[in-house]
Amino acid sequence: MQKIVSLLFLSLILVSCSSKLDFDQVNDLKLEPVIVANLSYFDIAAPDFVTNGQETIVSGSLQNFDVFRDSFFRDNLVQSDFFFEITNTINRQYRLNLLLLNSQNRILYSINFNVSASAGTPQVVTQKEIFKDVKLDLLKQSQRIAYHIIMLPGKSLTAASTGHLIFKSSATVYMDIQ
């Protein structure tokens, strides 16, 4: 009896349904991930704009920005959206220039913000910058991000001045992987 059951089971396995596998489907695979990440942040207090009793321009490098050294990322990136938010609680107007620099520190692209003075309430500036086509090519050449903060004329700041200039940014990247 056991031989008959085993033979019957073997017969069912041999005659069971199966479909032909198409391994060429992998050639049609297309992935389009969207990634959101923080870019940079700084918080500058009003007294930081004063050095030895004199108002100064604040500038610096936010970070090395060599994410495009990876050819996979560079080749599959189709668009990147940068979102910026600047909050000013200082009673002074500012101009912020964000610079994308290449390996020779040449400016490839500049993003400029005019920030109103605070008169007791925070002044918030938001801006979205979309990189695709020619602008995306410039972004892919970027290796550093630098900034220059220019304080516009107004009431003088001192070491006792209050308030902050806060900068936040993020990026949404769109990939096309085939």
Side-chain angles (χ1 to χ4, degrees), residues 84-103:
F84 304 98
E85 179 181 290
I86 304 167
T87 303
N88 183 15
T89 59
I90 303 170
N91 189 15
R92 201 61 188 269
Q93 187 177 5
Y94 292 90
R95 178 162 178 84
L96 171 70
N97 301 317
L98 192 67
L99 310 169
L100 301 179
L101 307 171
N102 67 10
S103 60

Side-chain angles (χ1 to χ4, degrees), residues 5-167:
V5 171
S6 297
L7 187 58
L8 185 59
F9 181 71
L10 184 60
S11 306
L12 286 173
I13 290 176
L14 293 175
V15 234
S16 65
C17 297
S18 67
S19 62
K20 182 178 176 186
L21 297 176
D22 181 8
F23 291 105
D24 290 329
Q25 289 178 344
V26 76
N27 296 331
D28 299 331
L29 179 66
K30 181 177 181 179
L31 301 174
E32 295 177 333
V34 175
I35 303 163
V36 178
N38 289 329
L39 263 180
S40 55
Y41 171 87
F42 63 74
D43 181 345
I44 302 174
D48 293 339
F49 290 99
V50 179
T51 304
N52 298 325
Q54 297 292 317
E55 293 179 347
T56 59
I57 294 175
V58 174
S59 63
S61 178
L62 291 175
Q63 60 192 17
N64 285 335
F65 192 67
D66 57 354
V67 295
F68 298 110
R69 72 182 182 282
D70 179 78
S71 62
F72 176 80
F73 184 72
R74 186 178 55 245
D75 295 342
N76 293 295
L77 180 66
V78 293
Q79 180 176 322
S80 185
D81 299 346
F82 285 11
F83 179 76
F84 304 98
E85 179 181 290
I86 304 167
T87 303
N88 183 15
T89 59
I90 303 170
N91 189 15
R92 201 61 188 269
Q93 187 177 5
Y94 292 90
R95 178 162 178 84
L96 171 70
N97 301 317
L98 192 67
L99 310 169
L100 301 179
L101 307 171
N102 67 10
S103 60
Q104 291 83 36
N105 288 326
R106 289 193 184 115
I107 298 171
L108 298 173
Y109 192 77
S110 177
I111 305 167
N112 305 304
F113 308 89
N114 291 314
V115 185
S116 298
S118 172
T121 59
Q123 296 298 305
V124 180
V125 175
T126 60
Q127 186 170 321
K128 183 177 182 179
E129 194 76 23
I130 298 172
F131 292 89
K132 58 184 178 181
D133 303 323
V134 173
K135 281 175 54 174
L136 183 63
D137 292 336
L138 291 173
L139 178 64
K140 288 179 181 181
Q141 296 173 46
S142 301
Q143 293 195 358
R144 279 189 47 236
I145 298 177
Y147 65 90
H148 294 248
I149 302 170
I150 302 164
M151 194 167 19
L152 299 177
K155 182 181 174 191
S156 294
L157 295 180
T158 67
S161 294
T162 61
H164 291 261
L165 188 65
I166 302 167
F167 177 84

